[in-house]
Amino acid sequence: MKTRVEPAPELLSPGHTACRGCGLLVAARLALQAAGPRVIVANATGCLEITTSKFPQSSWNVPWIHSLFENTAAVASGVEAALKALGRQAEARVIAQAGDGGTADIGLQSLSGMLERGHDVLYICYDNEAYMNTGIQRSSLTPLGARTSTTPPGALSWGEVRTKKDMPAIAAAHGIPYVATASIAYPPDLVKKVKRALGIRGPKYLQVHSSCPLGWGHDSSLSIRVARLAVQTGLYPLYEVINGQLTNVKRLSYRSPVAAYLKPQRRFEHLFKPGGEALLAQVQALANANAAKYGFPPVTEGAEAEDSD
Amino acid sequence: MATLMDRVITSKAAVLEGSRAIAEAVRLCRPQVISAYPITPQTHVVEALAQMVADGALKAEFVNVESEHSAASVVLGASATGARVYTASSSQGIALMSEVLFNIAGLRLPVVLTCANRALSSPLNIWNDQQDSLSVRDAGWVQLYVEDNQEAVDTHLQAYAIAEDRRVLLPTMVCADGFLLTHTYEPVIVPTQEEVDAFLPPYRPQHYLTPDKPLTMGAFADPEYYMESRYLLDRALERSQAVIEDAAQRFNRAFGRHYGGLLDTLHMEGARTAVVAMGSVVATLRDVVSGLRDDGHAVGLVKVRSFRPFPKDALRSALRDVDRVLVLERALSPGGVGILAAEVRAVLQGQPRQPAVSAFVAGLGGRDIPVETLQALIARAQDEAVEQGFADLKAELVEEGDEDES
């Protein structure tokens, strides 16, 4: 069934300075559209902040605060505590948002505190899998094999050697009522998850896979297609964890080989050079493990067609 | 002329631990969001506040966080949303939150923080000196140093009035020496709620986060705008000098207690030598200086109450007739020439009369500063100008004897 995204007043205005084809801005715009105007947003340092808030202009038509890199969850906790203390809880829902580095690395402690304390905040991690704002350095959400400026392939290196930290599982381990993953390639799904999350009291964690043409090294016209392939290869499963129960896993009617996802991205080009086969196989094995865990079909060789579901 | 009021303890006074007295003062200020992380010697303050919230004696959200960085960040977010907020810390906690302290000042949020002054590691040391707050000197906060527990109580009431004044809108740190004040029982007059409400009206923020009037806080400033933003912060601190004086005067009218505004003086009339110090050592110095006066020595005392803003004019005026100045430092700028002393020397630069300024580091890491030490330092400063000396250094513990030890 097709779900139409209802046109809503633009809360994240155009005119920001994000790159052409930026997946992050697509994700943030959709999330805010879904949330509506009755929100207060705390935003970590990073591309989303830098591209939207250069004084004296701002793209934000909602109350919005940027403090530092690692304290966004704590700032949002304070916003929520103040709304409670001032009897203004009905006034706004609170959203904290950060990139993968601001979430899974430097901001993990304050995020854990916010989740554990039970603040009524939706935390959105826009996962573009590296520190893009500072020039594509490796984060703990950088995927296996990826080239970043601090995991460069070389005579002794094949890029990132670790797999992504399972951030949604870490969030879920706090016993919070709602955890989900989403992708910019599936806007109705993303919108639905934001709305569902905001309907729940307590801490919520949503991680949105967001492509970055500059950091990933793909054509800016391919942002949505590349993000969709991450899902369709099984590398980025979309699911919800509601009250600790895995649910609503996005089903795949077929599964593309990971090469279909990796090939358009220069960050993985070394995997297709002589000697890269083993690492390529490891990435495929990760997708296969996800398939086993989430019930995806076997790889359909040559399947790269888009599933617009 | 002695400008100090007589500190007569009345029958209304209760004997309270300093931390408890501070907590009572904070309660009376009706903070709406409190967030803190435990660190000695700050803990008794926030434990007392937590109990007040638990008992319903204080209606506030008390947020137990996982670090000082988050404590400062929670009160930042709450203040930005329009709440009156409070946090407290010490030592490593101040160091850990220092990034946020700069940010709070840049955002011009009237946060009030108690710093229970404590030494910084390494070596680990939980006892008092003022290295913590002085290390965040340039964060853009108003910093007020108190001498005893009554002043600690009263300065917290003034701190909110200063911070929230629309001419200021700056975070304010009340610095009280750890253990020496926070863990010491003294008779303290705790004002009534009615008195405090009359002195400190509810916080009415001009700008705060609300969907009813969306605004962007914490926009980034490129080279076209950053410097002006910092300039305006500097101007606000300068403007706060008058507001600090006002708050002290207004407090005096309301409560009949006064500790000076930016600074306080004792026996400065006709003084040839002045001692300049901050914090609880001033209480000892009052006795020492008064004793020396009784013995015919022309010695006076200047208490720096506001270290930021630095009372440039008030200090120049206080020191205009002296020949010699002794600055006591309860902190160290390794490789430098003192922290307070450097500022004192700077404001005296170019004055018609140039007193010789001696600086002594004393009482680091909780070491006692006895009366005899203070007497010896004053005597020494009357004889020579010491760029930076260390009081009561144990020669047997350092590799070679320090020539400057007194």
Side-chain angles (χ1 to χ4, degrees):
Chain A
M1 192 187 84
K2 303 259 180 197
T3 313
R4 216 171 86 83
V5 179
E6 290 300 317
E10 210 56 79
L11 299 174
L12 174 51
S13 312
H16 55 72
T17 59
C19 305
R20 189 170 57 169
C22 174
L24 166 59
L25 266 289
V26 171
R29 177 169 163 247
L30 285 169
L32 202 52
Q33 254 178 9
R38 305 301 294 181
V39 293
I40 296 175
V41 177
N43 206 124
T45 308
C47 279
L48 182 56
E49 170 256 331
I50 284 291
T51 57
T52 57
S53 68
K54 182 179 164 186
F55 186 84
Q57 292 177 315
S58 171
S59 295
W60 301 94
N61 290 320
V62 293
W64 182 93
I65 182 168
H66 162 248
S67 169
L68 298 164
F69 198 1
E70 72 275 50
N71 68 347
T72 312
V75 171
S77 300
V79 170
E80 185 251 12
L83 290 177
K84 209 188 275 184
L86 300 170
R88 286 167 45 199
Q89 274 166 300
E91 182 182 293
R93 307 294 285 144
V94 182
I95 294 176
Q97 48 187 14
D100 46 289
T103 299
D105 292 345
I106 197 167
L108 183 58
Q109 176 177 317
S110 74
L111 172 58
S112 177
M114 185 202 97
L115 299 178
E116 169 272 318
R117 291 189 301 268
H119 291 281
D120 186 18
V121 175
L122 168 60
Y123 188 101
I124 305 177
C125 167
Y126 298 105
D127 178 16
N128 56 21
E129 306 194 317
Y131 291 89
M132 300 316 188
N133 187 44
T134 44
I136 319 161
Q137 293 84 16
R138 180 260 193 205
S139 82
S140 62
L141 295 195
T142 296
L144 178 66
R147 177 183 72 194
T148 69
S149 57
T150 53
T151 55
L156 303 176
S157 166
W158 288 90
E160 175 56 51
V161 297
R162 304 288 301 172
T163 56
K164 285 171 76 79
K165 184 189 279 187
D166 192 351
M167 208 36 237
I170 292 170
H174 288 77
I176 62 175
Y178 188 81
V179 172
T181 58
S183 164
I184 59 158
Y186 299 88
D189 180 68
L190 168 57
V191 166
K192 184 181 71 190
K193 284 169 176 171
V194 170
K195 285 182 185 292
R196 180 169 296 164
L198 288 174
I200 298 169
R201 294 282 157 184
K204 286 82 61 175
Y205 179 81
L206 176 62
Q207 183 168 305
V208 186
H209 200 220
S210 311
S211 44
C212 171
L214 185 72
W216 294 8
H218 60 72
D219 191 273
S220 58
S221 67
L222 296 180
S223 293
I224 302 299
R225 181 189 294 254
V226 166
R228 181 172 292 124
L229 281 163
V231 175
Q232 291 187 336
T233 53
L235 282 172
Y236 215 99
L238 304 186
Y239 55 81
E240 294 176 301
V241 181
I242 299 178
N243 295 320
Q245 295 301 311
L246 177 70
T247 184
N248 297 329
V249 176
K250 181 174 173 48
R251 290 194 202 134
L252 303 182
S253 52
Y254 61 89
R255 184 152 63 92
S256 304
V258 294
Y261 168 62
L262 304 177
K263 241 177 185 168
Q265 305 180 54
R266 277 197 306 280
R267 64 175 174 157
F268 294 115
E269 68 182 350
H270 52 287
L271 270 61
F272 298 95
K273 290 179 178 164
E277 302 82 2
L279 193 51
L280 187 57
Q282 279 184 52
V283 177
Q284 185 61 60
L286 287 176
N288 296 348
N290 279 342
K293 182 174 176 184
Y294 297 104
F296 301 147
V299 169
T300 313
E301 286 303 330
E304 294 183 32
E306 285 185 28
D307 178 356
S308 62
D309 185 41
Chain B
M1 183 190 75
T3 58
L4 295 167
M5 68 154 290
D6 227 3
R7 305 245 179 119
V8 178
I9 303 302
T10 73
S11 58
K12 289 189 292 180
V15 177
L16 293 178
E17 191 198 39
S19 296
R20 176 59 192 252
I22 290 169
E24 294 291 344
V26 172
R27 172 182 62 77
L28 290 166
C29 294
R30 301 184 189 272
Q32 291 150 321
V33 175
I34 299 169
S35 185
Y37 184 81
I39 184 168
T40 303
Q42 153 264 34
T43 41
H44 291 186
V45 179
V46 295
E47 286 167 359
L49 286 165
Q51 189 66 55
M52 291 168 187
V53 173
D55 293 340
L58 169 60
K59 193 173 173 301
E61 287 295 314
F62 191 103
V63 186
N64 277 304
V65 284
E66 79 299 332
S67 73
E68 288 89 354
H69 197 282
S70 283
S73 301
V74 165
V75 296
L76 182 159
S79 181
T81 310
R84 180 176 284 166
V85 301
Y86 175 76
T87 187
S89 195
S90 298
S91 181
Q92 313 303 129
I94 295 291
L96 184 59
M97 63 168 64
S98 67
E99 182 195 25
V100 191
L101 299 180
F102 277 76
N103 196 245
I104 288 170
L107 288 167
R108 305 291 299 276
L109 297 173
V111 172
V112 170
L113 178 154
T114 306
C115 178
N117 284 108
R118 165 184 150 180
L120 274 162
S121 180
S122 167
L124 180 70
N125 176 295
I126 61 167
W127 294 274
N128 165 251
D129 65 35
Q130 295 164 347
Q131 193 72 49
D132 46 8
S133 52
L134 288 174
S135 296
V136 292
R137 176 191 68 182
D138 298 334
W141 285 54
V142 172
Q143 281 195 5
L144 305 174
Y145 289 75
V146 303
E147 177 186 342
D148 58 28
N149 288 341
Q150 187 67 62
E151 187 181 2
V153 165
D154 296 348
T155 300
H156 279 84
L157 310 189
Q158 295 174 32
Y160 280 102
I162 295 161
E164 294 169 2
D165 190 294
R166 292 197 178 172
R167 293 166 289 176
V168 178
L169 289 177
L170 286 173
T172 299
M173 188 180 296
V174 181
C175 302
D177 283 330
F179 291 107
L180 298 175
L181 297 182
T182 59
H183 287 53
T184 299
Y185 283 75
E186 285 184 342
V188 168
I189 299 166
V190 178
T192 65
Q193 188 66 66
E194 293 68 32
E195 289 172 327
V196 175
D197 287 347
F199 177 76
L200 181 70
Y203 176 41
R204 302 219 185 282
Q206 269 176 300
H207 308 290
Y208 59 96
L209 297 168
T210 171
D212 296 335
K213 195 181 174 191
L215 58 83
T216 290
M217 292 178 93
F220 85 94
D222 72 3
E224 290 296 319
Y225 294 101
Y226 180 82
M227 207 164 146
E228 284 69 22
S229 169
R230 301 299 289 171
Y231 170 80
L232 291 170
L233 177 61
D234 179 65
R235 290 299 95 191
L237 269 155
E238 285 301 317
R239 270 200 308 281
S240 75
Q241 289 203 38
V243 178
I244 292 166
E245 291 284 1
D246 280 357
Q249 296 293 343
R250 203 159 62 77
F251 189 89
N252 191 17
R253 287 196 294 276
F255 296 90
R257 292 189 295 275
H258 190 247
Y259 310 92
L262 298 162
L263 51 77
D264 193 14
T265 59
L266 176 70
H267 298 312
M268 283 302 293
E269 195 171 272
R272 312 309 316 162
T273 300
V275 185
V276 179
M278 304 195 293
S280 62
V281 74
V282 173
T284 316
L285 280 165
R286 288 185 192 279
D287 284 349
V288 171
V289 167
S290 295
L292 289 169
R293 272 280 167 166
D294 290 345
D295 294 342
H297 298 279
V299 179
L301 174 62
V302 177
K303 168 171 93 171
V304 174
R305 187 164 177 263
S306 167
F307 182 67
R308 280 293 179 275
F310 198 66
K312 301 183 261 298
D313 291 334
L315 200 59
R316 275 192 281 262
S317 171
L319 299 176
R320 67 180 175 271
D321 294 327
V322 302
D323 301 317
R324 298 192 169 273
V325 176
L326 165 64
V327 181
L328 274 184
E329 302 271 3
R330 213 158 196 159
L332 176 65
S333 173
V337 288
I339 301 172
L340 181 56
E343 308 243 356
V344 171
R345 287 173 174 132
V347 301
L348 294 175
Q349 174 72 24
Q351 294 303 296
R353 196 182 181 92
Q354 293 271 324
V357 179
S358 289
F360 278 91
V361 175
L364 297 190
R367 181 164 297 178
D368 197 19
I369 309 178
V371 166
E372 299 71 28
T373 295
L374 294 170
Q375 289 167 336
L377 293 178
I378 292 168
R380 180 125 180 242
Q382 285 174 312
D383 284 344
E384 58 174 322
V386 180
E387 189 174 67
Q388 179 171 270
F390 290 78
D392 292 342
L393 206 57
K394 294 178 182 171
E396 70 275 19
L397 292 183
V398 292
E399 203 166 13
E400 45 195 69
D402 191 314
E403 293 178 354
D404 285 338
E405 90 192 75
S406 69

